[in-house]
Structure formats: C-alpha cells, structure tokens
Amino acid sequence: MKISTKVLTGFLGIIGLLAIVAILAINSLSNIGNGFVSYRELAMQTNESGRIQSNMMMARLFVENYLLSASEENIAIVEQRVNTTLEHATNLMNEVDSDEKKAIVESIKTNLNDYLVAFRKITEFQNIRDDLVVTKLDKLGPAIGHKLSSIIKDAKYAKDATTGYNSAQTMRQLLVTRLFVTQYLDTNDEATLKRVKFELEEFVDIAMYHGDMLENKVQRQASDEAIKLGQEYQKAFMATVDAILSRNDLISNELDRIGPEVAQAIETLNLEVNTEQDTVGLGMDKTINDNISSTAFISIAAGIAGAVAAFFIGKGISGPVINMTSVMQEISHGNLEIDVPSLNRKDEVGEMADAVQVFKDGMIERQTMRKEAEDERIAGDLRQKKREETAEKTRLEKEASERKEREENEAKLARLTEITGDFEAKVGLIVKSVS
C-alpha cells in the first residue's frame, strides 16, 4: 500500500471519528434544543399562570379596597385586572398541550367570567346600599333628630320637664340606634344587625309611647313626624340590609369561592408544569451528561487513534526514509557494498529504494568504468614506457653503433692517415733518394 494511501486512510479514519463526534454533537444539540423548546414552553406556561395568579390577587385586593371605599377607580381597576387575567388565561390555553391542562385553564376562564359577573352585581348592590345610606339613612337620621330637638326646645321654653325628659330619652335612643346602624354598615356582622333591629323597634316604641303622652298639638305633630321618619328610616335600613346581605352573599358564595378556586387551579397547574419542568430538566441534564461522556469518550478515542495512526504512519514513513538516508550517505561516501533496504516494498519508499539502487548501480558502473579506464591508462603508460625504453635502447644501440662505426672510421682514417703518411714518407724518401 502506498504511503499516500496509508496517510489518506489514517486521515479518513480520524475524519470518520470526528464525523461521529460531530454527529453526536449535532444530535446532542438537537436533543438539547428540543429540551429547551419544551422547557421554554413550560416556562411560558409558568409565566402565564404566574401572571394569572398575580393579576387575580391584585383583582381580589382591589375588590377588598372597593368594599372598604367604593369608588369608580377601584371598579375600573378590578375590571381591568380581571380582563387582563382572562387574556393571560386565553394565552395559557394556547400554550398548554394536554387535555388535563386545557380543562384546568377552561375552568379558570369560566370562574373568571363568573367572578366578573358577580363583581358587577356586587357593585350594583353596593350602589343600592350607598344610595340608601346617602339619600335615606344619612338624611332621615338628622331629620328625626331635628324633630326631637324641636320638641325638647319647645318643652324647655314651656318649662315642661316631663316632655323634655321623655324627648331626650327618645333622642338618646335615636343616637344609640344610629350608632349601631353605623357600626353595622361598617362590620355587617349578624350580632350588630340584631342589635340594630332591636334598637330600631325600641326607638319606634319609645317614640310612640312618649308621643301618646304629648298634649301640645305642635309637639304632637313633631312627634308623629319623627315616628313616621323613624319608620321610613327603619324601612330604608332594612332595604340597605337586603342590599348588603345580597352583596355579602355574592362575596361569600361567589368571590370568596371563585378566588380560592382559581388560586387552587393555578397551583394545580403550576404543580403539573413544575413537575414537567423537573422531568424535562432532569432529562436535559442526563442528555447533556450522556452526550458529554460519549463525545469525550469518542474524542479521546479519536485522539488516541489519531496519535497511534500518526505514530505508525510516521514510523512507517520516517523509519525507511531514515534508513534510506543512511544508506545514501554510505553510498555517497563510497561504500557500495551496503545493501539498499525496502527494495521489495510497493510504495513510495520502494520507489525511492529502486532509485537509490539505480544510483548505486550507476556508481558501481561508473567505478568499474573508472577502474577500467585507470587500468587502460596504466597499461598505456606501460606500453608507452616500454616503447620509450625500446626507443631509448634503439637509440643507445644506434648511438653505440654509430660511435663504434665512427670509432672504426676514425681508426680506419687514422690508419689510412698513418698509411698515407708512411707512404708519403716513403715517397719522400724515394724522391729524395732519386733526386
């Protein structure tokens, strides 16, 4: 297998592991994203139920304020709070997904509508109560007192102590009655109502009893008018009581029932949502932890596998390359006896080994050719030397021959000269002897 193929295989393996890590991460993020979507939906449900709860509490608070001080501002705030609560209930209906939750929210909406209807009826009865108090009780009471005061003043001028005392007693009963009426209007308790009824009857009885005792026509007329006004006061008070009882009945049987029912329904819904949130949260924690563990495990495995692959691939490349470099250095230093490694490999290292072997063979061939050339040069030098020696010998022999020949010629010449000399001498002697 070629090195490039090995490297590619190693990288593809690492990429595959990284792809698995990426897929797990994507799957983890997807699961976490779905979990967050679910958690967000539950959080929105919690927020809406919280808004319902807070707005309902504010509505009930301003109902209490209204009952203490009936004002249009309180009515408007209660209406606004209940309508806002209904809007949040409608939003919550769109958020919830289970039939059980939808049933709870539907019951909340129904109760809120009933609460609003009951409150509007309460305001009607409250208006009746306030109207009776302002237009009847608050006017009739002082009117009765004015009539009794006129009798007391007239008796004082007439110096009628008995009439003055009786009228004062009647006035006292009126004041006591009005005091308990005021107390009942404030407390609305049954005991005070009984006391008011008793005091009213007592007032009418005392007024009628003392009125029957009057002989003065003017005083008698004032007493009769006071009694009539007292009866009207009694009738107005009972009408006020009816309005208060009707109002309080709606408060007790509707508002005080619906308010806690809505609160309980919201608590039940919150409990279910919180339970689901806990379940989703725990599931998300488990998913995150599991994915962290698996991702960490595969990442570590990928790192180890990558390191091992890199080690073996690097070793598979660097080892032969180092060996090849060492062999090339030996060859470059003239060691042609060393064997070239990895010649049987089928990868790039094998190709490099083939190239080194070719280089080595070339160096061996060049060394052989260089040796042969050197041998040829030496042989040539020997032949040249031999030729030179032969030539020198020939020259020396020639020179010796020529010297010998010259010496022989010189000897011959000398001999000839000697002979000639002898001849001339002899001739001379002959001539001399002749002459």
Side-chain angles (χ1 to χ4, degrees):
M1 184 182 294
K2 290 182 176 291
I3 292 175
S4 59
T5 305
K6 292 180 181 178
V7 173
L8 180 61
T9 302
F11 276 113
L12 287 177
I14 294 172
I15 291 171
L17 290 173
L18 293 176
I20 293 173
V21 173
I23 291 171
L24 286 175
I26 292 171
N27 183 60
S28 173
L29 290 174
S30 177
N31 291 334
I32 293 171
N34 292 333
F36 274 116
V37 169
S38 300
Y39 201 86
R40 178 178 178 274
E41 290 175 352
L42 292 172
M44 291 177 66
Q45 294 176 25
T46 302
N47 290 338
E48 289 297 338
S49 63
R51 294 188 180 101
I52 292 172
Q53 194 171 32
S54 62
N55 278 281
M56 189 62 190
M57 289 177 63
M58 293 301 296
R60 295 178 70 186
L61 177 63
F62 279 99
V63 166
E64 293 295 331
N65 289 342
Y66 172 76
L67 295 177
L68 293 174
S69 58
S71 67
E72 292 298 323
E73 181 182 0
N74 287 327
I75 294 174
I77 293 174
V78 171
E79 293 266 357
Q80 186 265 332
R81 288 291 180 178
V82 175
N83 286 325
T84 301
T85 308
L86 279 168
E87 290 176 5
H88 290 301
T90 301
N91 294 336
L92 182 59
M93 179 66 78
N94 296 329
E95 294 291 338
V96 297
D97 49 3
S98 67
D99 293 337
E100 184 178 359
K101 291 181 184 178
K102 289 183 181 294
I104 293 174
V105 177
E106 187 62 39
S107 69
I108 291 173
K109 291 178 66 177
T110 301
N111 279 330
L112 288 173
N113 285 316
D114 292 344
Y115 191 92
L116 191 58
V117 170
F119 176 72
R120 287 169 178 168
K121 289 181 180 179
I122 287 171
T123 60
E124 292 175 2
F125 286 121
Q126 183 69 31
N127 289 335
I128 294 172
R129 178 260 189 202
D130 292 344
D131 183 68
L132 287 170
V133 170
V134 172
T135 62
K136 294 293 184 178
L137 300 184
D138 288 350
K139 290 183 178 180
L140 290 173
I144 296 170
H146 179 70
K147 296 296 182 181
L148 294 175
S149 295
S150 65
I151 295 173
I152 292 172
K153 289 179 182 179
D154 188 68
K156 181 180 179 180
Y157 291 133
K159 296 182 179 181
D160 186 353
T162 301
T163 301
Y165 175 78
N166 291 336
S167 297
Q169 288 293 103
T170 306
M171 176 68 79
R172 174 186 174 280
Q173 184 61 37
L174 174 64
L175 294 176
V176 170
T177 301
R178 292 187 66 192
L179 176 64
F180 281 106
V181 167
T182 302
Q183 182 177 344
Y184 175 75
L185 293 177
D186 183 50
T187 62
N188 300 155
D189 63 282
E190 185 67 24
T192 304
L193 177 60
K194 290 180 180 179
R195 182 64 182 270
V196 171
K197 289 180 178 180
F198 171 79
E199 297 295 343
L200 278 172
E201 290 176 0
E202 188 72 11
F203 168 74
V204 173
D205 291 343
I206 291 174
M208 293 179 67
Y209 175 75
H210 290 159
D212 291 339
M213 296 174 63
L214 294 174
E215 295 179 357
N216 185 294
K217 185 177 180 181
V218 175
Q219 293 176 350
R220 185 65 180 267
Q221 183 179 359
S223 176
D224 290 341
E225 291 176 355
I227 292 170
K228 184 178 179 181
L229 290 174
Q231 291 172 339
E232 289 183 15
Y233 187 92
Q234 186 179 28
K235 183 178 179 182
F237 174 75
M238 294 310 299
T240 303
V241 170
D242 290 339
I244 291 173
L245 292 177
S246 297
R247 181 200 68 182
N248 291 348
D249 181 68
L250 286 171
I251 293 171
S252 300
N253 296 325
E254 294 295 326
L255 299 192
D256 291 346
R257 173 187 63 82
I258 293 172
E261 284 183 1
V262 171
Q264 182 61 42
I266 294 173
E267 285 297 325
T268 302
L269 184 62
N270 283 336
L271 182 61
E272 291 187 14
V273 173
N274 290 335
T275 301
E276 290 184 21
Q277 281 183 317
D278 292 340
T279 302
V280 172
L282 292 174
M284 288 174 64
D285 286 340
K286 186 177 183 303
T287 300
I288 291 171
N289 291 330
D290 290 345
N291 282 283
I292 288 174
S293 299
S294 59
T295 302
F297 175 77
I298 295 178
S299 298
I300 292 171
I304 294 173
V308 171
F311 173 77
F312 283 106
I313 291 173
K315 186 176 180 182
I317 296 172
S318 63
V321 170
I322 291 171
N323 292 335
M324 197 67 62
T325 304
S326 177
V327 170
M328 290 178 71
Q329 288 176 348
E330 290 290 327
I331 292 173
S332 67
H333 292 154
N335 183 8
L336 299 178
E337 299 298 325
I338 192 169
D339 293 329
V340 177
S342 306
L343 287 172
N344 57 343
R345 294 177 64 129
K346 303 299 182 183
D347 54 10
E348 290 84 350
V349 174
E351 294 176 359
M352 186 185 298
D354 291 338
V356 172
Q357 183 64 44
V358 170
F359 175 73
K360 176 186 173 184
D361 293 340
M363 287 193 67
I364 292 173
E365 184 178 354
R366 284 194 299 274
Q367 190 177 41
T368 302
M369 290 176 65
R370 195 162 48 242
K371 185 177 180 183
E372 289 177 354
E374 183 66 21
D375 291 344
E376 182 64 26
R377 184 187 65 75
I378 293 172
D381 290 344
L382 291 174
R383 286 192 299 270
Q384 180 66 27
K385 184 177 181 181
K386 189 175 182 180
R387 281 194 299 270
E388 289 177 354
E389 288 177 352
T390 302
E392 182 67 20
K393 183 179 180 182
T394 301
R395 184 183 65 78
L396 292 174
E397 288 177 351
K398 183 179 179 181
E399 287 180 354
S401 177
E402 287 177 352
R403 189 170 56 251
K404 184 179 181 182
E405 184 179 355
R406 188 171 58 252
E407 288 176 353
E408 288 177 354
N409 288 334
E410 287 178 355
K412 288 178 179 180
L413 180 60
R415 181 69 178 160
L416 181 60
T417 302
E418 183 183 353
I419 292 172
T420 303
D422 288 345
F423 177 76
E424 286 180 355
K426 288 177 177 182
V427 169
L429 286 175
I430 292 172
V431 169
K432 188 176 181 183
S433 63
V434 168
S435 52

